[in-house]
Amino acid sequence: MSDSDDMDIDGEDIPDTGASKKKRTSALGAILPTILKFAAIGIGALIFIVTVSVITYNIMNKGGKSQTVVTDPSSPYIGKRPIYATYTEIGAITTKLRDEKSHTITVVMNLQYDQDDGTAFGELNGRKHELQDFVRRYFAGKYASEVKENEERIKRDIQEILNQRFLDTGKVRGVLFSRLDITETY
């Protein structure tokens, strides 16, 4: 190429109008929209997978409620059961149940705690009257059929409530019913 390429046949310079030059695009400029599109699709897929996983986990776990496995005490795979001390000072509580027909329940409840835990006995003994009131109110809100069919669940519920609301340092390890009599009155 020579200097005469920019000249007209007469030798005059051609004015630069900008139409003669084409805009060049780089390789990155051509690929960038495609890369961004696939990145957006990947992020959307990741969010969808995480959302489905969380929802599935919550459904399988029943909303995050803890599951308690009840095992057979005669199983050879269970170690020795610890021996607990028992708090028996609550006494017999008699109250009406929630049924339309008049049902009454008499409960003698004993609470188990660790033998070497002196604070648990002190806390239970100090809250004896509160415990009696709790037992009365707890069973007054239950139906007779519910108590008959769900004794183990009731024991676990009572244990959780006592450990969360009543005791500060001691822990109840078990709930036993020496007496759980439901009578229908006419």
Side-chain angles (χ1 to χ4, degrees):
M1 292 195 189
S2 67
D3 289 339
S4 63
D5 288 346
D6 289 342
M7 294 185 170
D8 196 8
I9 295 178
D10 298 333
E12 296 177 5
D13 286 346
I14 301 174
D16 188 22
T17 60
S20 63
K21 292 185 180 179
K22 290 186 177 179
K23 187 176 180 183
R24 286 178 140 186
T25 58
S26 66
L28 181 62
I31 297 175
L32 188 61
T34 307
I35 292 173
L36 290 174
K37 179 173 65 173
F38 283 116
I41 290 171
I43 290 172
L46 183 65
I47 291 171
F48 177 76
I49 290 169
V50 168
T51 303
V52 168
S53 298
V54 167
I55 291 170
T56 304
Y57 178 77
N58 283 338
I59 290 172
M60 295 298 289
N61 202 17
K62 294 186 174 84
K65 293 181 181 176
S66 63
Q67 297 177 353
T68 305
V69 177
V70 179
T71 56
D72 181 20
S74 63
S75 173
Y77 300 108
I78 296 178
K80 291 183 178 180
R81 290 183 37 154
I83 298 173
Y84 295 118
T86 305
Y87 181 76
T88 60
E89 301 300 317
I90 297 173
I93 306 293
T94 302
T95 188
K96 285 187 176 185
L97 291 171
R98 192 174 183 182
D99 295 312
E100 289 180 17
K101 291 184 177 181
S102 189
H103 284 88
T104 58
I105 186 168
T106 301
V107 179
V108 177
M109 185 172 75
N110 300 319
L111 305 175
Q112 294 180 315
Y113 59 93
D114 292 327
Q115 282 185 336
D116 56 346
D117 190 2
T119 59
F121 176 77
E123 286 184 74
L124 291 169
N125 202 35
R127 299 182 189 269
K128 175 182 174 181
H129 300 291
E130 291 177 52
L131 291 171
Q132 290 171 339
D133 184 56
F134 163 71
V135 171
R136 183 191 54 77
R137 283 185 291 116
Y138 182 83
F139 284 103
K142 300 288 181 193
Y143 292 101
S145 60
E146 185 180 359
V147 174
K148 290 176 185 177
E149 296 169 1
N150 301 315
E151 185 175 333
E152 290 302 316
R153 185 182 56 81
I154 288 173
K155 287 179 180 181
R156 284 192 308 269
D157 287 348
I158 290 173
Q159 180 179 348
E160 288 177 16
I161 291 170
L162 292 176
N163 285 334
Q164 291 174 358
R165 296 185 192 163
F166 284 90
L167 302 177
D168 296 325
T169 57
K171 295 292 178 195
V172 172
R173 301 295 181 189
V175 176
L176 303 172
F177 294 126
S178 298
R179 185 173 171 195
L180 186 66
D181 297 332
I182 299 172
T183 55
E184 185 176 349
T185 57
Y186 299 100

